[in-house]
PDB file of all heavy atoms in Angstrom:
ATOM      1  N   THR A 127       3.099   5.353  29.320  1.00 92.00           N
ATOM      2  CA  THR A 127       3.130   4.017  29.727  1.00 92.00           C
ATOM      3  C   THR A 127       2.743   3.102  28.517  1.00 92.00           C
ATOM      4  O   THR A 127       1.638   3.097  27.895  1.00 92.00           O
ATOM      5  CB  THR A 127       2.070   3.760  30.829  1.00 92.00           C
ATOM      6  OG1 THR A 127       2.115   2.378  31.148  1.00 92.00           O
ATOM      7  CG2 THR A 127       0.721   4.240  30.530  1.00 92.00           C
ATOM      8  N   GLY A 128       3.790   2.301  28.147  1.00 95.00           N
ATOM      9  CA  GLY A 128       3.646   1.412  26.979  1.00 95.00           C
ATOM     10  C   GLY A 128       4.080   2.034  25.571  1.00 95.00           C
ATOM     11  O   GLY A 128       4.090   1.214  24.610  1.00 95.00           O
ATOM     12  N   PHE A 129       4.387   3.270  25.628  1.00 96.00           N
ATOM     13  CA  PHE A 129       4.612   3.908  24.302  1.00 96.00           C
ATOM     14  C   PHE A 129       5.750   4.926  24.430  1.00 96.00           C
ATOM     15  O   PHE A 129       5.920   5.560  25.428  1.00 96.00           O
ATOM     16  CB  PHE A 129       3.388   4.698  23.765  1.00 96.00           C
ATOM     17  CG  PHE A 129       2.281   3.773  23.446  1.00 96.00           C
ATOM     18  CD1 PHE A 129       1.289   3.581  24.438  1.00 96.00           C
ATOM     19  CD2 PHE A 129       2.089   3.198  22.234  1.00 96.00           C
ATOM     20  CE1 PHE A 129       0.195   2.762  24.117  1.00 96.00           C
ATOM     21  CE2 PHE A 129       0.979   2.357  21.949  1.00 96.00           C
ATOM     22  CZ  PHE A 129       0.040   2.207  22.864  1.00 96.00           C
ATOM     23  N   HIS A 130       6.514   4.976  23.372  1.00 96.00           N
ATOM     24  CA  HIS A 130       7.645   6.004  23.191  1.00 96.00           C
ATOM     25  C   HIS A 130       7.670   6.587  21.842  1.00 96.00           C
ATOM     26  O   HIS A 130       7.352   5.863  20.843  1.00 96.00           O
ATOM     27  CB  HIS A 130       9.046   5.356  23.550  1.00 96.00           C
ATOM     28  CG  HIS A 130       9.168   5.121  25.022  1.00 96.00           C
ATOM     29  ND1 HIS A 130       9.829   3.924  25.463  1.00 96.00           N
ATOM     30  CD2 HIS A 130       8.752   5.646  26.170  1.00 96.00           C
ATOM     31  CE1 HIS A 130       9.807   3.977  26.731  1.00 96.00           C
ATOM     32  NE2 HIS A 130       9.185   4.944  27.182  1.00 96.00           N
ATOM     33  N   ALA A 131       8.025   7.799  21.655  1.00 97.00           N
ATOM     34  CA  ALA A 131       8.091   8.545  20.461  1.00 97.00           C
ATOM     35  C   ALA A 131       9.301   9.510  20.413  1.00 97.00           C
ATOM     36  O   ALA A 131       9.655  10.070  21.509  1.00 97.00           O
ATOM     37  CB  ALA A 131       6.817   9.292  20.240  1.00 97.00           C
ATOM     38  N   SER A 132      10.017   9.572  19.265  1.00 97.00           N
ATOM     39  CA  SER A 132      11.102  10.501  19.169  1.00 97.00           C
ATOM     40  C   SER A 132      11.107  11.104  17.819  1.00 97.00           C
ATOM     41  O   SER A 132      10.813  10.427  16.746  1.00 97.00           O
ATOM     42  CB  SER A 132      12.455   9.808  19.388  1.00 97.00           C
ATOM     43  OG  SER A 132      12.494   9.221  20.750  1.00 97.00           O
ATOM     44  N   MET A 133      11.513  12.353  17.730  1.00 98.00           N
ATOM     45  CA  MET A 133      11.633  13.110  16.397  1.00 98.00           C
ATOM     46  C   MET A 133      12.908  13.926  16.467  1.00 98.00           C
ATOM     47  O   MET A 133      13.180  14.566  17.578  1.00 98.00           O
ATOM     48  CB  MET A 133      10.393  14.030  16.257  1.00 98.00           C
ATOM     49  CG  MET A 133      10.441  14.874  14.986  1.00 98.00           C
ATOM     50  SD  MET A 133       8.991  15.981  14.921  1.00 98.00           S
ATOM     51  CE  MET A 133       9.456  17.245  16.220  1.00 98.00           C
ATOM     52  N   VAL A 134      13.676  13.970  15.437  1.00 97.00           N
ATOM     53  CA  VAL A 134      14.872  14.680  15.443  1.00 97.00           C
ATOM     54  C   VAL A 134      15.157  15.196  13.925  1.00 97.00           C
ATOM     55  O   VAL A 134      14.770  14.465  13.073  1.00 97.00           O
ATOM     56  CB  VAL A 134      16.157  13.841  15.838  1.00 97.00           C
ATOM     57  CG1 VAL A 134      16.313  12.664  14.982  1.00 97.00           C
ATOM     58  CG2 VAL A 134      17.350  14.629  16.058  1.00 97.00           C
ATOM     59  N   LEU A 135      15.588  16.406  13.789  1.00 97.00           N
ATOM     60  CA  LEU A 135      15.887  16.946  12.459  1.00 97.00           C
ATOM     61  C   LEU A 135      17.024  17.907  12.441  1.00 97.00           C
ATOM     62  O   LEU A 135      17.279  18.534  13.472  1.00 97.00           O
ATOM     63  CB  LEU A 135      14.583  17.511  11.967  1.00 97.00           C
ATOM     64  CG  LEU A 135      13.833  18.681  12.671  1.00 97.00           C
ATOM     65  CD1 LEU A 135      13.283  19.729  11.824  1.00 97.00           C
ATOM     66  CD2 LEU A 135      12.678  18.010  13.363  1.00 97.00           C
ATOM     67  N   ALA A 136      17.718  17.906  11.422  1.00 97.00           N
ATOM     68  CA  ALA A 136      18.801  18.836  11.154  1.00 97.00           C
ATOM     69  C   ALA A 136      18.338  19.890  10.124  1.00 97.00           C
ATOM     70  O   ALA A 136      18.429  19.535   8.909  1.00 97.00           O
ATOM     71  CB  ALA A 136      20.084  18.108  10.692  1.00 97.00           C
ATOM     72  N   PRO A 137      17.824  20.991  10.478  1.00 97.00           N
ATOM     73  CA  PRO A 137      17.208  21.948   9.596  1.00 97.00           C
ATOM     74  C   PRO A 137      18.189  22.437   8.394  1.00 97.00           C
ATOM     75  O   PRO A 137      17.696  22.537   7.239  1.00 97.00           O
ATOM     76  CB  PRO A 137      16.758  23.076  10.394  1.00 97.00           C
ATOM     77  CG  PRO A 137      16.668  22.493  11.862  1.00 97.00           C
ATOM     78  CD  PRO A 137      17.735  21.459  11.907  1.00 97.00           C
ATOM     79  N   ASP A 138      19.342  22.668   8.731  1.00 97.00           N
ATOM     80  CA  ASP A 138      20.217  23.167   7.755  1.00 97.00           C
ATOM     81  C   ASP A 138      20.695  22.147   6.706  1.00 97.00           C
ATOM     82  O   ASP A 138      21.277  22.464   5.698  1.00 97.00           O
ATOM     83  CB  ASP A 138      21.602  23.697   8.474  1.00 97.00           C
ATOM     84  CG  ASP A 138      21.310  24.728   9.496  1.00 97.00           C
ATOM     85  OD1 ASP A 138      20.341  25.512   9.287  1.00 97.00           O
ATOM     86  OD2 ASP A 138      21.985  24.826  10.501  1.00 97.00           O
ATOM     87  N   ASP A 139      20.456  20.796   7.102  1.00 96.00           N
ATOM     88  CA  ASP A 139      20.855  19.702   6.192  1.00 96.00           C
ATOM     89  C   ASP A 139      19.720  19.052   5.546  1.00 96.00           C
ATOM     90  O   ASP A 139      19.874  18.235   4.630  1.00 96.00           O
ATOM     91  CB  ASP A 139      21.634  18.698   6.967  1.00 96.00           C
ATOM     92  CG  ASP A 139      22.976  19.204   7.670  1.00 96.00           C
ATOM     93  OD1 ASP A 139      23.933  19.241   7.028  1.00 96.00           O
ATOM     94  OD2 ASP A 139      22.832  19.670   8.799  1.00 96.00           O
ATOM     95  N   GLY A 140      18.484  19.430   5.883  1.00 96.00           N
ATOM     96  CA  GLY A 140      17.216  18.985   5.211  1.00 96.00           C
ATOM     97  C   GLY A 140      17.027  17.478   5.544  1.00 96.00           C
ATOM     98  O   GLY A 140      16.313  16.807   4.738  1.00 96.00           O
ATOM     99  N   VAL A 141      17.431  16.976   6.688  1.00 97.00           N
ATOM    100  CA  VAL A 141      17.078  15.565   7.003  1.00 97.00           C
ATOM    101  C   VAL A 141      16.487  15.515   8.393  1.00 97.00           C
ATOM    102  O   VAL A 141      16.738  16.369   9.220  1.00 97.00           O
ATOM    103  CB  VAL A 141      18.427  14.676   6.999  1.00 97.00           C
ATOM    104  CG1 VAL A 141      19.033  14.651   5.569  1.00 97.00           C
ATOM    105  CG2 VAL A 141      19.432  15.246   7.993  1.00 97.00           C
ATOM    106  N   GLY A 142      15.620  14.499   8.538  1.00 98.00           N
ATOM    107  CA  GLY A 142      14.991  14.286   9.839  1.00 98.00           C
ATOM    108  C   GLY A 142      14.477  12.802   9.928  1.00 98.00           C
ATOM    109  O   GLY A 142      14.413  12.208   8.935  1.00 98.00           O
ATOM    110  N   ALA A 143      14.251  12.420  11.134  1.00 98.00           N
ATOM    111  CA  ALA A 143      13.703  11.116  11.450  1.00 98.00           C
ATOM    112  C   ALA A 143      12.810  11.050  12.510  1.00 98.00           C
ATOM    113  O   ALA A 143      12.785  11.789  13.503  1.00 98.00           O
ATOM    114  CB  ALA A 143      14.862  10.098  11.673  1.00 98.00           C
ATOM    115  N   VAL A 144      11.852  10.143  12.501  1.00 98.00           N
ATOM    116  CA  VAL A 144      10.796   9.950  13.509  1.00 98.00           C
ATOM    117  C   VAL A 144      10.682   8.537  13.791  1.00 98.00           C
ATOM    118  O   VAL A 144      10.731   7.672  12.898  1.00 98.00           O
ATOM    119  CB  VAL A 144       9.519  10.693  13.190  1.00 98.00           C
ATOM    120  CG1 VAL A 144       8.821  10.019  12.014  1.00 98.00           C
ATOM    121  CG2 VAL A 144       8.578  10.516  14.436  1.00 98.00           C
ATOM    122  N   ALA A 145      10.533   8.118  15.081  1.00 98.00           N
ATOM    123  CA  ALA A 145      10.233   6.709  15.476  1.00 98.00           C
ATOM    124  C   ALA A 145       9.170   6.537  16.519  1.00 98.00           C
ATOM    125  O   ALA A 145       9.183   7.426  17.420  1.00 98.00           O
ATOM    126  CB  ALA A 145      11.560   6.046  15.988  1.00 98.00           C
ATOM    127  N   LEU A 146       8.243   5.731  16.302  1.00 98.00           N
ATOM    128  CA  LEU A 146       7.179   5.499  17.164  1.00 98.00           C
ATOM    129  C   LEU A 146       7.040   4.045  17.554  1.00 98.00           C
ATOM    130  O   LEU A 146       7.175   3.131  16.746  1.00 98.00           O
ATOM    131  CB  LEU A 146       5.757   5.890  16.571  1.00 98.00           C
ATOM    132  CG  LEU A 146       5.692   7.215  15.789  1.00 98.00           C
ATOM    133  CD1 LEU A 146       4.343   7.378  15.121  1.00 98.00           C
ATOM    134  CD2 LEU A 146       5.871   8.322  16.830  1.00 98.00           C
ATOM    135  N   ALA A 147       7.051   3.744  18.861  1.00 97.00           N
ATOM    136  CA  ALA A 147       7.095   2.324  19.390  1.00 97.00           C
ATOM    137  C   ALA A 147       6.020   2.097  20.437  1.00 97.00           C
ATOM    138  O   ALA A 147       5.516   3.005  21.088  1.00 97.00           O
ATOM    139  CB  ALA A 147       8.452   2.061  19.978  1.00 97.00           C
ATOM    140  N   ASN A 148       5.616   0.754  20.574  1.00 97.00           N
ATOM    141  CA  ASN A 148       4.578   0.447  21.464  1.00 97.00           C
ATOM    142  C   ASN A 148       4.970  -0.444  22.534  1.00 97.00           C
ATOM    143  O   ASN A 148       4.269  -1.230  23.075  1.00 97.00           O
ATOM    144  CB  ASN A 148       3.295  -0.101  20.725  1.00 97.00           C
ATOM    145  CG  ASN A 148       3.757  -1.535  20.009  1.00 97.00           C
ATOM    146  OD1 ASN A 148       4.885  -1.772  19.833  1.00 97.00           O
ATOM    147  ND2 ASN A 148       2.698  -2.333  19.852  1.00 97.00           N
ATOM    148  N   THR A 149       6.209  -0.221  22.996  1.00 96.00           N
ATOM    149  CA  THR A 149       6.725  -0.960  24.240  1.00 96.00           C
ATOM    150  C   THR A 149       7.642  -0.068  25.045  1.00 96.00           C
ATOM    151  O   THR A 149       8.527   0.547  24.550  1.00 96.00           O
ATOM    152  CB  THR A 149       7.500  -2.312  23.729  1.00 96.00           C
ATOM    153  OG1 THR A 149       6.675  -3.031  22.869  1.00 96.00           O
ATOM    154  CG2 THR A 149       7.964  -3.076  24.867  1.00 96.00           C
ATOM    155  N   GLY A 150       7.314  -0.087  26.410  1.00 91.00           N
ATOM    156  CA  GLY A 150       8.211   0.638  27.319  1.00 91.00           C
ATOM    157  C   GLY A 150       7.504   1.019  28.551  1.00 91.00           C
ATOM    158  O   GLY A 150       6.346   1.250  28.588  1.00 91.00           O
ATOM    159  N   ALA A 151       8.401   1.198  29.607  1.00 86.00           N
ATOM    160  CA  ALA A 151       7.828   1.568  30.829  1.00 86.00           C
ATOM    161  C   ALA A 151       7.734   3.106  30.825  1.00 86.00           C
ATOM    162  O   ALA A 151       8.213   3.799  29.845  1.00 86.00           O
ATOM    163  CB  ALA A 151       8.771   1.178  32.028  1.00 86.00           C
ATOM    164  N   PHE A 152       7.121   3.687  31.907  1.00 80.00           N
ATOM    165  CA  PHE A 152       6.920   5.118  32.012  1.00 80.00           C
ATOM    166  C   PHE A 152       8.167   5.787  32.455  1.00 80.00           C
ATOM    167  O   PHE A 152       8.173   6.285  33.544  1.00 80.00           O
ATOM    168  CB  PHE A 152       5.675   5.354  32.852  1.00 80.00           C
ATOM    169  CG  PHE A 152       5.221   6.872  32.964  1.00 80.00           C
ATOM    170  CD1 PHE A 152       4.994   7.598  31.725  1.00 80.00           C
ATOM    171  CD2 PHE A 152       5.015   7.457  34.129  1.00 80.00           C
ATOM    172  CE1 PHE A 152       4.612   8.880  31.806  1.00 80.00           C
ATOM    173  CE2 PHE A 152       4.643   8.712  34.262  1.00 80.00           C
ATOM    174  CZ  PHE A 152       4.367   9.462  33.107  1.00 80.00           C
ATOM    175  N   ASN A 153       9.207   5.709  31.548  1.00 76.00           N
ATOM    176  CA  ASN A 153      10.495   6.337  31.958  1.00 76.00           C
ATOM    177  C   ASN A 153      11.172   6.575  30.645  1.00 76.00           C
ATOM    178  O   ASN A 153      10.783   6.049  29.564  1.00 76.00           O
ATOM    179  CB  ASN A 153      11.261   5.465  32.928  1.00 76.00           C
ATOM    180  CG  ASN A 153      11.762   4.227  32.263  1.00 76.00           C
ATOM    181  OD1 ASN A 153      12.367   4.119  31.298  1.00 76.00           O
ATOM    182  ND2 ASN A 153      11.356   3.077  32.980  1.00 76.00           N
ATOM    183  N   PRO A 154      12.279   7.440  30.610  1.00 70.00           N
ATOM    184  CA  PRO A 154      12.839   7.879  29.384  1.00 70.00           C
ATOM    185  C   PRO A 154      13.743   6.794  28.685  1.00 70.00           C
ATOM    186  O   PRO A 154      14.278   7.153  27.667  1.00 70.00           O
ATOM    187  CB  PRO A 154      13.640   9.182  29.666  1.00 70.00           C
ATOM    188  CG  PRO A 154      13.852   8.966  31.175  1.00 70.00           C
ATOM    189  CD  PRO A 154      12.723   8.222  31.718  1.00 70.00           C
ATOM    190  N   VAL A 155      13.911   5.643  29.321  1.00 70.00           N
ATOM    191  CA  VAL A 155      14.771   4.698  28.833  1.00 70.00           C
ATOM    192  C   VAL A 155      14.117   3.907  27.735  1.00 70.00           C
ATOM    193  O   VAL A 155      13.191   3.087  27.973  1.00 70.00           O
ATOM    194  CB  VAL A 155      15.368   3.716  29.798  1.00 70.00           C
ATOM    195  CG1 VAL A 155      16.246   2.745  29.283  1.00 70.00           C
ATOM    196  CG2 VAL A 155      16.092   4.556  30.939  1.00 70.00           C
ATOM    197  N   ALA A 156      14.347   4.123  26.441  1.00 76.00           N
ATOM    198  CA  ALA A 156      13.516   3.599  25.361  1.00 76.00           C
ATOM    199  C   ALA A 156      14.407   3.430  24.075  1.00 76.00           C
ATOM    200  O   ALA A 156      15.440   4.002  23.977  1.00 76.00           O
ATOM    201  CB  ALA A 156      12.346   4.471  25.093  1.00 76.00           C
ATOM    202  N   MET A 157      13.797   2.773  23.045  1.00 84.00           N
ATOM    203  CA  MET A 157      14.490   2.546  21.821  1.00 84.00           C
ATOM    204  C   MET A 157      14.373   3.662  20.793  1.00 84.00           C
ATOM    205  O   MET A 157      15.126   3.662  19.828  1.00 84.00           O
ATOM    206  CB  MET A 157      14.118   1.159  21.301  1.00 84.00           C
ATOM    207  CG  MET A 157      12.783   1.138  20.554  1.00 84.00           C
ATOM    208  SD  MET A 157      11.276   1.443  21.665  1.00 84.00           S
ATOM    209  CE  MET A 157      11.516   0.122  22.869  1.00 84.00           C
ATOM    210  N   THR A 158      13.334   4.416  20.924  1.00 94.00           N
ATOM    211  CA  THR A 158      13.094   5.389  19.861  1.00 94.00           C
ATOM    212  C   THR A 158      14.162   6.455  19.741  1.00 94.00           C
ATOM    213  O   THR A 158      14.493   6.838  18.611  1.00 94.00           O
ATOM    214  CB  THR A 158      11.646   6.046  20.004  1.00 94.00           C
ATOM    215  OG1 THR A 158      11.569   6.710  21.330  1.00 94.00           O
ATOM    216  CG2 THR A 158      10.586   5.043  19.818  1.00 94.00           C
ATOM    217  N   THR A 159      14.619   7.019  20.847  1.00 92.00           N
ATOM    218  CA  THR A 159      15.579   8.026  20.815  1.00 92.00           C
ATOM    219  C   THR A 159      16.951   7.453  20.214  1.00 92.00           C
ATOM    220  O   THR A 159      17.473   8.116  19.279  1.00 92.00           O
ATOM    221  CB  THR A 159      15.932   8.585  22.153  1.00 92.00           C
ATOM    222  OG1 THR A 159      14.699   9.286  22.600  1.00 92.00           O
ATOM    223  CG2 THR A 159      17.046   9.635  22.129  1.00 92.00           C
ATOM    224  N   PRO A 160      17.515   6.400  20.754  1.00 91.00           N
ATOM    225  CA  PRO A 160      18.708   5.862  19.980  1.00 91.00           C
ATOM    226  C   PRO A 160      18.470   5.526  18.454  1.00 91.00           C
ATOM    227  O   PRO A 160      19.395   5.589  17.716  1.00 91.00           O
ATOM    228  CB  PRO A 160      19.142   4.563  20.789  1.00 91.00           C
ATOM    229  CG  PRO A 160      17.963   4.263  21.684  1.00 91.00           C
ATOM    230  CD  PRO A 160      17.144   5.544  21.889  1.00 91.00           C
ATOM    231  N   THR A 161      17.221   5.132  18.093  1.00 95.00           N
ATOM    232  CA  THR A 161      16.941   4.848  16.744  1.00 95.00           C
ATOM    233  C   THR A 161      17.051   6.042  15.898  1.00 95.00           C
ATOM    234  O   THR A 161      17.759   6.068  14.834  1.00 95.00           O
ATOM    235  CB  THR A 161      15.452   4.312  16.628  1.00 95.00           C
ATOM    236  OG1 THR A 161      15.489   3.029  17.307  1.00 95.00           O
ATOM    237  CG2 THR A 161      15.225   4.040  15.113  1.00 95.00           C
ATOM    238  N   VAL A 162      16.396   7.277  16.250  1.00 96.00           N
ATOM    239  CA  VAL A 162      16.476   8.430  15.432  1.00 96.00           C
ATOM    240  C   VAL A 162      17.846   9.062  15.481  1.00 96.00           C
ATOM    241  O   VAL A 162      18.328   9.687  14.543  1.00 96.00           O
ATOM    242  CB  VAL A 162      15.337   9.407  15.808  1.00 96.00           C
ATOM    243  CG1 VAL A 162      14.029   8.778  15.513  1.00 96.00           C
ATOM    244  CG2 VAL A 162      15.440   9.810  17.265  1.00 96.00           C
ATOM    245  N   ASP A 163      18.428   9.024  16.691  1.00 93.00           N
ATOM    246  CA  ASP A 163      19.821   9.498  16.793  1.00 93.00           C
ATOM    247  C   ASP A 163      20.784   8.746  15.838  1.00 93.00           C
ATOM    248  O   ASP A 163      21.601   9.462  15.192  1.00 93.00           O
ATOM    249  CB  ASP A 163      20.366   9.457  18.196  1.00 93.00           C
ATOM    250  CG  ASP A 163      19.714  10.527  19.091  1.00 93.00           C
ATOM    251  OD1 ASP A 163      18.945  11.438  18.572  1.00 93.00           O
ATOM    252  OD2 ASP A 163      19.862  10.456  20.286  1.00 93.00           O
ATOM    253  N   ALA A 164      20.722   7.403  15.818  1.00 93.00           N
ATOM    254  CA  ALA A 164      21.649   6.612  14.997  1.00 93.00           C
ATOM    255  C   ALA A 164      21.343   6.975  13.527  1.00 93.00           C
ATOM    256  O   ALA A 164      22.253   7.024  12.770  1.00 93.00           O
ATOM    257  CB  ALA A 164      21.442   5.184  15.357  1.00 93.00           C
ATOM    258  N   LEU A 165      20.107   7.057  13.126  1.00 96.00           N
ATOM    259  CA  LEU A 165      19.767   7.388  11.772  1.00 96.00           C
ATOM    260  C   LEU A 165      20.276   8.771  11.339  1.00 96.00           C
ATOM    261  O   LEU A 165      20.831   8.945  10.267  1.00 96.00           O
ATOM    262  CB  LEU A 165      18.266   7.312  11.544  1.00 96.00           C
ATOM    263  CG  LEU A 165      17.753   5.985  11.404  1.00 96.00           C
ATOM    264  CD1 LEU A 165      16.185   6.069  11.413  1.00 96.00           C
ATOM    265  CD2 LEU A 165      18.111   5.233  10.074  1.00 96.00           C
TER     266      LEU A 165
END
């Protein structure tokens, strides 16, 4: 409630991203996942 976090990495390519945010309802619709996926 109020927070979302996402982490994604491509081990074979040596790249990864993480995003932490302090806004959101208690459901999976949030900005952190599209952020790390787009990166």
Side-chain angles (χ1 to χ4, degrees):
T127 175
F129 295 95
H130 289 141
S132 297
M133 177 184 71
V134 62
L135 51 142
D138 303 329
D139 301 275
V141 297
V144 62
L146 310 174
N148 64 336
T149 304
F152 188 50
N153 65 56
V155 180
M157 76 296 299
T158 54
T159 294
T161 297
V162 296
D163 285 353
L165 283 170

